[in-house]
Structures are given as structure tokens and as C-alpha cells.
Amino acid sequence: MLKTPLADPIELVNGGVSIDGRPILRGIDLTVTSGEFVALMGANGSGKSTLVRALTGLRELTAGSLSLFGTPLGRFTDWQRVGFVPQRTEAATGVPASVWEVVAAGRLPHRRLLRPLSRADRRAIDEALDVVGLSDQARMGVSTLSGGQQQRALIARALAGAPDLFFLDEPAAGVDLPNQQVLADTLQVLSQRGATIVLVAHELGPVAPLIDRAVVMRDGRKAYDGAPLADHEVHAPGFGESHSHHHVVAHQHDHAPHVSGPFEGGPR
């Protein structure tokens, strides 16, 4: 069951990220309220995936401040409230794991070390598999699935943890239309349950009707933050010049300590 947060799930103020001294993100202000479904969009290389990694603690902020559920990132420990679905890779590269075992990994934040799965854990795993339509493939090796099915297994893994806040980094990239529709149906279920969702996407496809708000990145800055946009509007030549609501350069270079989140090292 989703908890009722007392503060906004995400509050980023003047966020910046530099890699090897080169600014990647600059002057990003972003607040996401409880229950919002936000699409983080932009061209390849615009900074949207770097931003979502900064929001999950996977990429160090070199400027600004970030709070999750009202707690500064450096003090945030309640990672079971956060689910992260990375860009599609092999769901279990080199690991002979079943779909069920991959999804079961999503329950790790809820369990004591070396304790067996509880009935509640098993119910959560089975429900997550059902939501993404993989119940019949639960005992299959995850490496035998199609790319779209592997992505759905990763979504189920995040879903099994019953987080309040979901980050999905281009889950539909390279996925065929039927699997994109299953993804949209899954996200609709999560949204109806009151989850807060941040979806990184180059194009929205079947997910478009679910979006509450679009945030568009351009050259490492936030070029637009407002009502949902059609894919062709986001990628139109010159976008961000005439639509720029937030186009601020961050000049400060304070260095925040890196905080390792529970998502280091890719899929668990």
C-alpha cells in the first residue's frame, strides 16, 4: 500500500552536474508533487537521463540541493519508497535467474538480511508479475524473454517493492508497440494507485494520455515546464528558444558529497 507523503517527493533547487569538469546540467529547479505523472523529455544528449540519475542519487550533484520526501539527499535513507527502472539492458546478463527471481529482488529493501520471503513478499511479487502480464512466464529464464518482456520484468521488480515514487529511464526505447501498450497499461495502474511517476522519454507513444506535466531538457537546461506536449512539438527545430519558461545558468560550483543510493551497479 502506498504511503501518504508529508512533503513533495522531489525538490531540486538550482541543481547542477559536472563530469570531468564539464557542465552537463545547469540551474535545474524541479519540484514534483505527490501523485504527479511527469514526462522528462528532450533530444538525445539533452541531459534528461543524467537528471534522473541525479534525482536517484546515482549521479553526484555538483551544485544545488535535492530533497526526497522533505529529507535532504545526504540524510535520506528510506529508499524502499523509491523505485528505479533503468534503460533497457539485459535484465540478468550472465545470471541464470528466472523472471520470478528477478522480480523477487524488488522485495530486498523490505526484508531482514538472510530472512526467507514472507507471505506478504510473495503476494507483492505475484501481483507485480500480474500487473505487467508476466505471470505465465514467471518460471522462465529471464534471458529467454524478448527485450520488451525483459523491460517489463524490470518494471515488475520495481513495482514489487511498492514504492511511492517511480523513476523510469526510457523504458520504451527499442520496445515494440504491443509491449509499449503493456507499459502504458502498467503505468496507468500505478498512477491510479496514487504513485508519483517520473518518466524519461524521447517519445511518449501510448503513454501520452497519462501525462500530467512535461519537462523538456535542452543542452543541460530546463527549456520547458508545463502542460503536456505532443512528441512533434518537443522535437521541433528551435524548441526551447520560444517556449523557454526556465532557462537559467547556474554560476555556483559548490560540491555536495556523493550519496550512494540503492541502485548502484544496475539491476539487483
Side-chain angles (χ1 to χ4, degrees):
M1 180 178 295
L2 296 169
K3 303 173 185 177
T4 302
L6 300 178
D8 290 328
I10 299 171
E11 185 175 7
L12 177 64
V13 178
N14 199 31
V17 170
S18 295
I19 299 176
D20 296 329
R22 181 169 64 94
I24 304 299
L25 300 179
R26 291 165 287 182
I28 307 294
D29 292 323
L30 179 65
T31 298
V32 178
T33 60
S34 179
E36 263 196 304
F37 194 142
V38 177
L40 185 58
M41 305 183 71
N44 292 333
S46 62
K48 57 187 186 296
S49 288
T50 300
L51 176 56
V52 82
R53 288 184 167 271
L55 295 174
T56 56
L58 289 171
R59 176 65 69 182
E60 177 184 1
L61 277 180
T62 50
S65 62
L66 170 65
S67 294
L68 299 177
F69 299 102
T71 301
L73 183 63
R75 300 203 304 269
F76 186 76
T77 58
D78 200 6
W79 288 104
Q80 69 182 33
R81 300 188 70 183
V82 181
F84 176 60
V85 180
Q87 289 185 14
R88 189 179 74 81
T89 56
E90 294 298 320
T93 302
V95 179
S98 70
V99 174
W100 196 92
E101 289 169 332
V102 168
V103 177
R107 295 299 298 174
L108 288 175
H110 296 267
R111 296 164 53 200
R112 291 184 180 180
L113 187 63
L114 302 179
R115 292 293 297 272
L117 290 166
S118 67
R119 288 184 179 180
D121 291 328
R122 293 180 181 277
R123 281 196 302 270
I125 295 164
D126 290 342
E127 181 184 7
L129 286 164
D130 182 61
V131 168
V132 302
L134 289 178
S135 295
D136 291 343
Q137 289 80 26
R139 299 302 172 181
M140 293 175 59
V142 71
S143 61
T144 68
L145 301 183
S146 69
Q149 288 173 323
Q150 287 189 9
Q151 186 65 64
R152 284 154 56 187
L154 293 178
I155 294 170
R157 185 186 64 187
L159 177 58
D164 302 304
L165 172 61
F166 284 86
F167 293 96
L168 301 98
D169 192 359
E170 301 210 43
V175 172
D176 61 19
L177 188 57
N179 276 296
Q180 288 183 37
Q181 186 59 58
V182 173
L183 168 65
D185 294 343
T186 300
L187 295 180
Q188 183 175 28
V189 170
L190 299 182
S191 184
Q192 290 171 343
R193 292 179 178 179
T196 304
I197 302 171
V198 177
L199 171 72
V200 178
H202 184 71
E203 295 182 343
L204 294 174
V207 177
L210 306 177
I211 302 302
D212 296 317
R213 171 180 160 209
V215 174
V216 182
M217 298 293 293
R218 180 185 176 93
D219 298 327
R221 303 175 189 270
K222 191 171 70 168
Y224 174 88
D225 187 344
L229 298 171
D231 292 337
H232 72 273
E233 293 179 285
V234 174
H235 301 292
F239 181 88
E241 297 170 6
S242 60
H243 294 79
S244 181
H245 290 189
H246 302 273
H247 205 156
V248 183
V249 177
H251 296 290
Q252 63 191 71
H253 296 283
D254 52 311
H255 292 274
H258 175 59
V259 179
S260 295
F263 315 113
E264 298 283 10
R268 292 184 296 176

